Amino acid sequence: MQADKALTAGEKALAAEQAKKEAVKREQELLRQTLRETQQKMEAQERSFKESIALLKENMKIEKENEQKHQEKITEYMQKVEELLRKHQEEEMQHEIEVQRIKAESEATKRKILEEVQKKHEQSWKERGKNYQEHVKWLEKTEKECEQKNEQEREQLLEKNKELMSNNCLSTENENMIPGKGFSPLPPGELLPDPIILNHLPSEDLQGT
């Protein structure tokens, strides 16, 4: 009668330990899923940063081409102005003094226009280059911050998994100590961590596992 009671108690204890093991396995599976999602999120963020930088470079290229076209239009305009001046000079050859005055003023005006256009052009490119560098730095800083945050989340998940594995080992030792069953210790490799988890552990954690 006492043996039956002891057996019933042992079976209940085994059932409780089995339930704990299943709960630990479910928790580990949830952690593995979370790690996979974290990895996917990091990869998506990396792709997003690369696409943003590529788009920024493409926009700069387009702006440079547009600026070049604008400069060509200005050059064409100035050529037309010079052609009009030449015709005007031919028509006014009889009034040499007046023509010389107009030419001098026109040349000064042309140089002034070209200098102002060139100055504005250089200033515009300086500002665009500065904005481009600042945007790239912001993207790199944001990417680094996201990587650090994701790394912290990954380390917390790995630490929680190690705690679950430690609790699982303790549960196994308690199961081996149940009276009347005479269980031998489990083989060393039976409760090894899942390979997905081990792939994300640092080398010093693997040595201690």
Side-chain angles (χ1 to χ4, degrees):
M1 189 66 176
Q2 292 179 352
D4 292 338
K5 290 183 178 180
L7 182 61
T8 301
E11 290 175 350
K12 290 181 177 179
L14 283 175
E17 290 300 326
Q18 184 65 28
K20 288 182 180 179
K21 285 183 179 181
E22 292 177 357
V24 169
K25 288 181 180 179
R26 288 195 297 270
E27 189 74 18
Q28 287 180 335
E29 179 61 29
L30 179 60
L31 285 173
R32 286 194 293 267
Q33 179 65 26
T34 304
L35 281 172
R36 286 193 293 266
E37 292 175 356
T38 300
Q39 183 68 24
Q40 291 173 358
K41 182 173 70 174
M42 291 173 68
E43 292 174 354
Q45 288 175 345
E46 183 179 358
R47 288 194 301 270
S48 177
F49 284 123
K50 288 181 180 179
E51 290 173 357
S52 297
I53 292 176
L55 181 60
L56 182 61
K57 289 181 179 180
E58 182 65 21
N59 289 337
M60 289 294 294
K61 180 181 178 181
I62 293 173
E63 288 183 6
K64 186 175 181 179
E65 291 175 353
N66 291 337
E67 187 65 26
Q68 184 176 358
K69 291 179 181 179
H70 180 67
Q71 187 68 26
E72 290 173 356
K73 288 182 179 180
I74 292 176
T75 302
E76 182 180 357
Y77 171 76
M78 295 306 302
Q79 289 175 351
K80 290 181 179 179
V81 170
E82 289 177 353
E83 180 66 18
L84 290 173
L85 287 173
R86 186 184 65 80
K87 290 181 180 180
H88 181 71
Q89 289 171 359
E90 290 175 354
E91 293 173 355
E92 297 292 333
M93 285 296 294
Q94 296 177 0
H95 306 282
E96 186 63 25
I97 296 176
E98 183 66 13
V99 169
Q100 290 299 325
R101 184 182 68 80
I102 294 174
K103 181 180 178 180
E105 291 179 353
S106 298
E107 288 294 328
T109 301
K110 182 179 72 174
R111 286 195 301 270
K112 184 176 180 181
I113 291 173
L114 288 174
E115 288 172 357
E116 289 177 355
V117 169
Q118 186 65 26
K119 185 177 179 181
K120 289 180 179 179
H121 177 69
E122 292 175 354
Q123 183 65 28
S124 175
W125 273 106
K126 285 180 180 179
E127 293 177 357
R128 291 176 182 177
K130 182 179 178 182
N131 293 336
Y132 170 77
Q133 293 295 332
E134 290 177 353
H135 191 62
V136 170
K137 288 180 179 179
W138 177 84
L139 286 173
E140 293 174 346
K141 179 181 177 183
T142 305
E143 180 179 11
K144 185 176 180 181
E145 291 175 352
C146 288
E147 289 177 352
Q148 291 175 350
K149 182 178 178 181
N150 290 332
E151 185 64 23
Q152 290 175 357
E153 292 177 357
R154 187 178 68 87
E155 290 176 357
Q156 291 174 358
L157 290 172
L158 291 174
E159 185 64 25
K160 187 172 182 181
N161 184 68
K162 289 174 66 178
E163 292 177 2
L164 287 172
M165 290 171 58
S166 176
N167 293 335
N168 191 22
C169 289
L170 291 176
S171 298
T172 303
E173 292 176 0
N174 292 334
E175 180 183 7
N176 293 335
M177 295 175 63
I178 295 174
K181 300 303 286 185
F183 294 113
S184 60
L186 293 173
E190 187 168 334
L191 291 177
L192 286 175
D194 188 274
I196 295 176
I197 301 299
L198 287 178
N199 289 335
H200 292 81
L201 287 175
S203 58
E204 59 269 17
D205 290 340
L206 289 173
Q207 294 173 359
T209 303

